[in-house]
Amino acid sequence: MRDHDLPARERRTRGKRRFDDDEPTFLKRGRAAEPVLADPDAEPDPDTGERWSSWDDAVHGPQPHPDWLVTELAAKDTELGVLKTGKEADVHLVRRAVPGTDRSCLLAVKRYRDAEHRMFHRDAGYLEGRRVRRSREMRAMAGRTAFGRQMIAGQWAAAEFAALARLWEIGAAHGRIAVPYPVQLRGTELMLEFLGEPEEGRAAPRLAQLRPDPAQLRDLWDQLVDALVVLARAGFAHGDLSPYNLLVHRGRLVLIDLPQVVDVVANPQGPDFLARDVRVVSAWFAARGLPAAQDPVELTGELLREAGIR
């Protein structure tokens, strides 16, 4: 949903907000990056695992770029291994470094499956409310042709990149949500900030792996509610939120895996996706002994009001 669509939404009855201390810029909506369908991957050198940095012909993340990020065109990317495998995408660990210097950084590289592999098995519901300009592409996506499946893969990558870029800018300015910095998008390959211990190449743990004490549990819940409010004000639901796509990096809760991000206004199923997100994470916290966690139905209602729906 773009800026020129907002007046109808703003005319709806909003009611009194519980969370009213943030700037209205949270409601501004950016334009998603256009999917690029060409295969982005140059084959790495079979002996060294290196390839030239693809920074020069990729869509870049928000500016100013972080100081740790290597943007020099003389840099090379070295494959270090697989961090995570999945049905729709694999995440690899890559070191980007300038040879002969101390300039280097670790990146998590998410590569969506191509048209010959299994795609999202629930994509129809998530794709509602997303628009593709050309009718040929819409027909191909609806018919799940090979080209259509490739288009869907491009949409997942572009949607995740756009959502991460927007949420990273909000978090950098206001601190109420944390996501990995989206380094670049090239085709169906998404490069992200690696969150973990760089010296060991160990990724930050998922929330599901932790057994926090009561004080830590309360702090993580409060961080999660803040993040959900930011998402709602931006018009988003995560769409597949669970303890497995929340990282805890040095005490900070970080949202990951956002390709299926849902526009809660444009997508008719948006409120249902939001309600499910809240139910899943609320159940995890309640099962670990957080009796003061907010009732999920009440919290969902407040988030929908923040999104301008109720």
Side-chain angles (χ1 to χ4, degrees), residues 1-2 4-5 34-35 127-134 138 141 155 266:
M1 186 174 180
R2 296 175 181 167
H4 60 69
D5 295 321
E34 289 290 328
L127 287 170
E128 285 194 77
R130 296 187 190 176
R131 296 179 180 177
V132 177
R133 292 177 183 175
R134 291 175 287 276
M138 285 294 293
M141 289 170 63
Q155 277 218 337

Side-chain angles (χ1 to χ4, degrees), residues 55 58-71 96 105-110 160-173 177-185 190-196 247 249 254-258:
W55 174 260
V59 178
H60 300 157
Q63 295 187 2
H65 303 307
D67 292 339
W68 55 262
L69 179 60
V70 174
T71 61
R96 175 168 288 178
C105 64
L106 284 180
L107 302 173
V109 181
K110 189 170 187 177
E160 182 165 25
F161 180 80
L164 287 171
R166 175 162 160 66
L167 295 173
W168 189 88
E169 289 178 316
I170 292 173
I177 192 169
V179 296
Y181 177 76
V183 172
Q184 67 179 57
L185 172 68
L190 179 61
M191 287 191 168
L192 306 169
E193 174 186 6
F194 170 76
L195 295 174
L247 300 182
H249 181 54
V254 183
L255 274 69
I256 61 170
D257 292 340
L258 286 152

Side-chain angles (χ1 to χ4, degrees), residues 32 84 89 91 110 112 120 126 130 154-168 177-182 190 192 206 227-228 230-232 234 236-242 244-246 254-263 277:
K84 177 179 177 285
V91 182
K110 189 170 187 177
Y112 284 88
F120 282 73
Y126 293 111
R130 296 187 190 176
Q155 277 218 337
W156 290 125
E160 182 165 25
F161 180 80
L164 287 171
R166 175 162 160 66
L167 295 173
W168 189 88
I177 192 169
V179 296
Y181 177 76
L190 179 61
L192 306 169
R206 295 169 187 271
L228 289 172
V230 172
L231 278 170
F236 295 143
H238 184 283
D240 196 25
L241 190 61
S242 80
Y244 292 94
N245 46 38
L246 290 164
V254 183
L255 274 69
I256 61 170
D257 292 340
L258 286 152
Q260 71 294 310
V261 65
V262 173
D263 186 319
D277 284 350

Side-chain angles (χ1 to χ4, degrees), residues 28-208:
K28 295 179 180 177
R29 304 174 64 76
R31 176 176 296 179
E34 289 290 328
V36 178
L37 298 182
D39 180 5
D41 296 331
E43 289 295 326
D45 185 297
D47 297 323
T48 65
E50 293 180 343
R51 61 177 179 175
W52 289 107
S53 166
S54 55
W55 174 260
D56 59 332
D57 60 352
V59 178
H60 300 157
Q63 295 187 2
H65 303 307
D67 292 339
W68 55 262
L69 179 60
V70 174
T71 61
E72 290 90 334
L73 299 185
K76 288 190 173 183
D77 294 344
T78 304
E79 300 277 339
L80 300 179
V82 177
L83 290 172
K84 177 179 177 285
T85 61
K87 296 183 183 70
E88 291 82 28
D90 295 329
V91 182
H92 299 251
L93 183 63
V94 168
R95 181 179 300 280
R96 175 168 288 178
V98 180
T101 75
D102 60 358
R103 288 279 293 156
S104 71
C105 64
L106 284 180
L107 302 173
V109 181
K110 189 170 187 177
R111 293 174 182 144
Y112 284 88
R113 305 254 182 213
D114 62 28
E116 299 304 316
H117 292 77
R118 181 179 177 184
M119 289 304 302
F120 282 73
H121 59 286
R122 296 170 295 173
D123 58 17
Y126 293 111
L127 287 170
E128 285 194 77
R130 296 187 190 176
R131 296 179 180 177
V132 177
R133 292 177 183 175
R134 291 175 287 276
S135 60
R136 171 178 175 265
E137 294 168 353
M138 285 294 293
R139 289 195 301 272
M141 289 170 63
R144 299 302 191 270
T145 65
F147 174 71
R149 292 195 299 271
Q150 193 179 18
M151 275 294 301
I152 292 170
Q155 277 218 337
W156 290 125
E160 182 165 25
F161 180 80
L164 287 171
R166 175 162 160 66
L167 295 173
W168 189 88
E169 289 178 316
I170 292 173
H174 305 284
R176 291 186 62 178
I177 192 169
V179 296
Y181 177 76
V183 172
Q184 67 179 57
L185 172 68
R186 192 166 181 259
T188 56
E189 180 183 83
L190 179 61
M191 287 191 168
L192 306 169
E193 174 186 6
F194 170 76
L195 295 174
E197 302 308 321
E199 297 80 10
E200 304 166 19
R202 187 177 72 247
R206 295 169 187 271
L207 179 61

